[in-house]
Amino acid sequence: MSEAAPKPEELVQINYDPPRRDWRNAHVDYRKGTFCYSAAAKNLRYLDLPNPRDWQPFDKNWKLPPNWREIILQGMKERLQKFRSFRLFMDICVRCGACADKCHFFLGSADPKNMPVLRAELFRSVYRRYFTLSGRIFRGLAGGRELTEDVLKEWFYYFYQCTECRRCSVFCPFGIDTAEITMMVRELLNLVGVNTNWVLEPAANCFRTGNHLGIQPHGFKDSIDFAVDELEEITGIRVEAPINRKGAEILFVVPSADYFGTPHYYTLLGYLMLFHEIGLDYTFSAYASEGGNFGLFSSHEMMKRLNAKIYAEAKRLGVKWILGGECGHMWRVVHQYMDTLNGPADFLEEPVSPITGTHFENARATRMVHICEFTADLIHNHKLKLDPRRNDHWKLTYHDSCNPARAMGLLEEPRYILRNVSNQFYEMPENTIREQTFCCGSGAGLGTDENIEMRLRGGLPRANAVKYVRDKHGVNLLTCICAIDKATLPTALEYWTPGVEVGGIHELVGNALVMKGEQERTTDLRGEPLHQKEAAVHA
Ligand code: SF4
Ligand code: SF4
C-alpha cells in the first residue's frame, strides 16, 4: 500500500458541507495521492503525439506550447462540428442535479467538483464563453469562464478523477453522458501534450508489441505454454492452445492481464479448459494479444488505431468471427465505437456457435461475441457437465463491471453462469448492481499507485456494498469480468472490506467443469486444496 494512503478510519471521515470557496476559482492543490503522473516523453514520441517533454502536474511550469490556448479552442471548434453529441451535451444540461450524488468520486471525496454536473461545468463554462453568443458578449455574467492556465490544470485534475464509468448518465433525464465529456476534454488536453503515463505507456506498448505490457511474441507463447503445463498438473489433461493458426474458425482475444497477472490468470485456465472440453476450433494471436484499449482514455484516434489490430489479425488469420474474453473497455470500444471507427467488419461472418448452432445476432455488426454469452449458451443447451460443489469454498457475489454492464447490457449471462457453477451466490443491494453498478474507482487509466488516495475514495461505494454481503452472508469472493477490476479491486477490498477476494467467472467455470478423462481434482485453479467431498465428485 502506498505511503500516501491514510488509514480507513481517517479516509472515511467525509464532510459533505459545501465549501465556501467560489467554484469558479480554478486553483488546484496537486496533493500527493490524488493525481496521476505525466506521460514520459518517450511514449509521446512513440505515439507521434505533440509536445513531448519532462514535466509533472505539481510543477509550476507545465511547459505548454506558447499558443496552447489557440490549439485547445481550435480543437474544441473542430470537435463541436464533428461530434453532434458533444454539442448536445454542452447545451442541454438543465442543472437539475439528478446526477450530483451518483458519482463514486463525489461520494468518496465530497469534493463538489466531482459531482458529474459540476465536473462537466468546469468545461461547459469555457464552451459557453467562447462558443455561445451570450457568452461572447456577457462573459462571466452568462456563466462563461476564460480559458486560463489554472483552468487547464483544473481540467487535468478533475477529468482524471472520472473513470468514464457512465453511472451518472443512467440517472440523467436527458441522457447526458459525462464520460463522453471526459473523453473529449482528455482528447483536447492531448493536443498540447497534457496526458498521463498510466494511459500512454500501455498504449505505446500496445502499438509496439500488441499488448499493454510490451510482451513480445515469444513471451506471449511462454505464458500460454506455462498455463498449459499447469493445467496438466491440475487435471491430468494436456490441452492445446494454438497461437497464430491460420484457418481457425475463431480468433480469441483476451486482456493481457489474463496471461500475466493474478487473479486474472485463473480465468485464462478456465478458458483453456472450456475450449478443450468442447473441442473449439480457435486460435490466439501473438499480435492481437490485448483486448484492452487505452485509446478510449486518450482520444478517438488512438482508440481507432489500437482497435484496428484485432480486426487486422482476424483478416490475416482468415477466421470466421471473434470471441472476446473477460475485459471491460475492450467491450465498450467494440460495442459503442468500433463499427463507426473501424467497421464494417463485413469480411467476417455473423457469429454462430459451432457447438450449439446459436446465431449471435447481437454481434451481427461487430462479429465479436463475449465469452459470457458464449458460455451461457453452452450451459443453456446442456453442453457442459458441471459440478458446482467444487466451488463450495466460495460464497460469492457479482460486481457488474461498468463497461459490459452499461455499455453492452451484459447483465443476465454472467449471473446465469454463476448460478450454474456455484451453490452460494448472493446479490449486493439493488442500487449498486446491474445498470446502477458502482465503479471500482480505478478505471480509465486511474489505477496507479501514485493516485492511491483517490482510488480508495472512488472504490468506497463499491467496497461498502461488498461489506454488506460479507457481513450478512459471509461472502468471501467478489466475481467480475473486467481486467482492471481484477487488478484494482483487491487493493480496495483489502483496505475497506478485508476477507473478500476477487476472481473471474471463468475461473469458477474451470473449477466446476467436469472434463472427460480428468484425474481426481485435489485443488482448485488457485492451487488451494479441495475438501474431500468436493474433490471426489468428478465423473
Ligand atoms: S462517468 Fe462515472 S466517474 Fe465520470 S462523472 Fe460520471 S459517475 Fe463519475
Ligand atoms: S442529471 Fe443531466 S441534466 Fe441534470 S444536472 Fe446532471 S447532467 Fe445536467
Side-chain angles (χ1 to χ4, degrees):
M1 189 74 64
S2 157
E3 287 173 18
K7 292 190 172 65
E9 50 277 21
E10 291 168 32
L11 209 61
V12 84
Q13 302 299 325
I14 303 168
N15 180 0
Y16 291 98
D17 292 343
R20 289 174 183 275
R21 205 175 83 158
D22 185 338
W23 74 268
R24 284 168 298 193
N25 180 344
H27 179 75
V28 168
D29 174 21
Y30 273 91
R31 193 163 51 78
K32 194 176 173 188
T34 66
F35 64 93
C36 301
Y37 293 154
S38 64
K42 69 176 170 92
N43 292 322
L44 272 72
R45 282 196 197 96
Y46 196 88
L47 292 164
D48 207 15
L49 292 177
N51 201 17
R53 71 215 182 278
D54 291 326
W55 69 285
Q56 283 301 342
F58 45 76
D59 292 342
K60 197 167 175 348
N61 182 0
W62 281 20
K63 302 177 189 167
L64 298 170
N67 60 339
W68 68 267
R69 189 180 291 99
E70 288 71 37
I71 295 172
I72 296 273
L73 291 175
Q74 180 59 27
M76 281 177 78
K77 185 177 171 194
E78 287 165 12
R79 282 158 185 78
L80 284 164
Q81 286 161 358
K82 190 170 170 189
F83 299 95
R84 278 195 301 172
S85 57
F86 179 31
R87 184 175 282 277
L88 198 69
F89 293 161
M90 288 296 98
D91 283 335
I92 64 172
C93 173
V94 294
R95 296 180 199 73
C96 67
C99 62
D101 60 349
K102 304 303 186 292
C103 176
H104 46 289
F105 284 115
F106 172 66
L107 294 174
S109 71
D111 183 339
K113 291 186 181 178
N114 273 323
M115 291 178 180
V117 55
L118 189 45
R119 190 191 309 286
E121 191 65 22
L122 302 179
F123 184 64
R124 195 178 276 121
S125 53
V126 173
Y127 160 78
R128 211 176 279 122
R129 158 67 184 86
Y130 294 93
F131 295 94
T132 66
L133 184 61
S134 58
R136 279 196 293 265
I137 297 170
F138 299 112
R139 303 194 174 196
L141 289 174
R145 275 198 314 171
E146 301 294 326
L147 179 55
T148 63
E149 209 165 310
D150 268 353
V151 166
L152 189 90
K153 291 177 177 178
E154 183 189 44
W155 284 358
F156 181 75
Y157 192 69
Y158 287 105
F159 287 101
Y160 281 91
Q161 283 183 13
C162 166
T163 43
E164 302 181 9
C165 77
R166 305 174 72 235
R167 186 172 195 267
C168 51
S169 71
V170 172
F171 298 89
C172 174
F174 299 98
I176 293 174
D177 189 345
T178 305
E180 294 239 343
I181 297 173
T182 294
M183 288 164 65
M184 207 55 77
V185 179
R186 290 189 184 191
E187 184 162 324
L188 292 168
L189 291 171
N190 266 286
L191 297 178
V192 292
V194 174
N195 23 43
T196 70
N197 206 50
W198 197 250
V199 171
L200 288 197
E201 183 142 325
N205 283 341
C206 214
F207 233 64
R208 194 171 65 253
T209 67
N211 56 71
H212 291 158
L213 301 167
I215 298 165
Q216 297 184 13
H218 55 281
F220 176 65
K221 182 169 182 337
D222 281 353
S223 303
I224 301 290
D225 286 351
F226 182 82
V228 169
D229 289 344
E230 195 159 33
L231 266 184
E232 190 171 11
E233 279 176 32
I234 297 170
T235 65
I237 294 173
R238 189 149 191 94
V239 304
E240 271 192 54
I243 298 173
N244 295 344
R245 186 162 66 82
K246 286 194 172 176
E249 183 173 357
I250 295 164
L251 169 64
F252 183 49
V253 180
V254 296
S256 54
D258 280 6
Y259 55 88
F260 230 77
T262 51
H264 316 64
Y265 173 70
Y266 311 121
T267 306
L268 173 73
L269 297 182
Y271 304 142
L272 296 179
M273 295 163 79
L274 178 71
F275 297 161
H276 171 87
E277 193 55 25
I278 61 175
L280 194 69
D281 178 11
Y282 79 103
T283 183
F284 287 100
S285 155
Y287 182 50
S289 49
E290 179 66 70
N293 186 330
F294 272 48
L296 179 69
F297 313 142
S298 55
S299 73
H300 287 82
E301 182 56 28
M302 191 70 68
M303 189 186 348
K304 179 179 178 174
R305 286 159 80 183
L306 296 181
N307 184 64
K309 73 172 185 294
I310 295 177
Y311 286 85
E313 278 296 87
K315 197 173 214 170
R316 184 180 73 86
L317 295 169
V319 301
K320 291 183 179 169
W321 55 277
I322 307 169
L323 185 62
E326 295 185 12
C327 187
H329 54 283
M330 166 166 82
W331 289 105
R332 171 93 171 275
V333 173
V334 167
H335 265 253
Q336 292 198 312
Y337 304 108
M338 139 66 202
D339 213 29
T340 316
L341 295 179
N342 304 101
D346 48 12
F347 59 93
L348 296 172
E349 295 180 12
E350 180 184 313
V352 178
S353 169
I355 314 302
T356 65
T358 297
H359 285 245
F360 294 100
E361 292 172 8
N362 57 317
R364 192 175 281 155
T366 62
R367 316 282 157 112
M368 188 159 173
V369 174
H370 194 289
I371 186 72
C372 284
E373 295 172 315
F374 184 74
T375 303
D377 176 62
L378 291 171
I379 296 172
H380 183 70
N381 285 287
H382 311 292
K383 298 294 182 188
L384 302 180
K385 188 167 181 181
L386 299 166
D387 194 322
R389 286 175 295 177
R390 286 173 173 176
N391 283 314
D392 274 355
H393 50 309
W394 294 123
K395 289 189 175 183
L396 51 108
T397 190
Y398 177 61
H399 159 66
D400 291 89
S401 302
C402 298
N403 287 312
R406 277 191 283 268
M408 63 184 295
L410 195 78
L411 304 173
E412 299 308 329
E413 290 86 342
R415 290 177 166 79
Y416 180 75
I417 297 171
L418 287 174
R419 289 200 170 94
N420 278 278
V421 300
S422 69
N423 290 316
Q424 305 176 89
F425 171 53
Y426 303 94
E427 291 279 20
M428 288 181 276
E430 234 173 85
N431 61 346
T432 73
I433 57 172
R434 298 176 182 268
E435 289 94 343
Q436 297 187 34
T437 186
F438 272 115
C439 179
C440 63
S442 300
L446 307 191
T448 65
D449 281 353
E450 72 261 20
N451 189 38
I452 190 68
E453 182 183 324
M454 279 321 292
R455 286 174 54 190
L456 293 171
R457 287 187 182 281
L460 174 59
R462 172 76 297 159
N464 201 34
V466 176
K467 182 174 182 297
Y468 177 81
V469 281
R470 182 198 68 181
D471 295 349
K472 187 166 180 194
H473 303 293
V475 160
N476 59 0
L477 182 71
L478 175 71
T479 58
C480 55
I481 53 171
C482 165
I484 290 179
D485 287 340
K486 288 176 199 162
T488 63
L489 279 170
T491 305
L493 295 188
E494 184 195 337
Y495 185 84
W496 291 118
T497 315
V500 182
E501 295 190 42
V502 176
I505 286 188
H506 281 77
E507 174 187 345
L508 301 184
V509 171
N511 281 340
L513 186 67
V514 181
M515 300 173 77
K516 289 182 258 334
E518 69 178 12
Q519 66 192 22
E520 185 172 310
R521 299 261 190 105
T522 54
T523 69
D524 66 7
L525 294 183
R526 297 187 178 207
E528 298 295 326
L530 289 176
H531 298 305
Q532 200 57 43
K533 67 179 173 56
E534 291 154 4
V537 295
H538 81 280

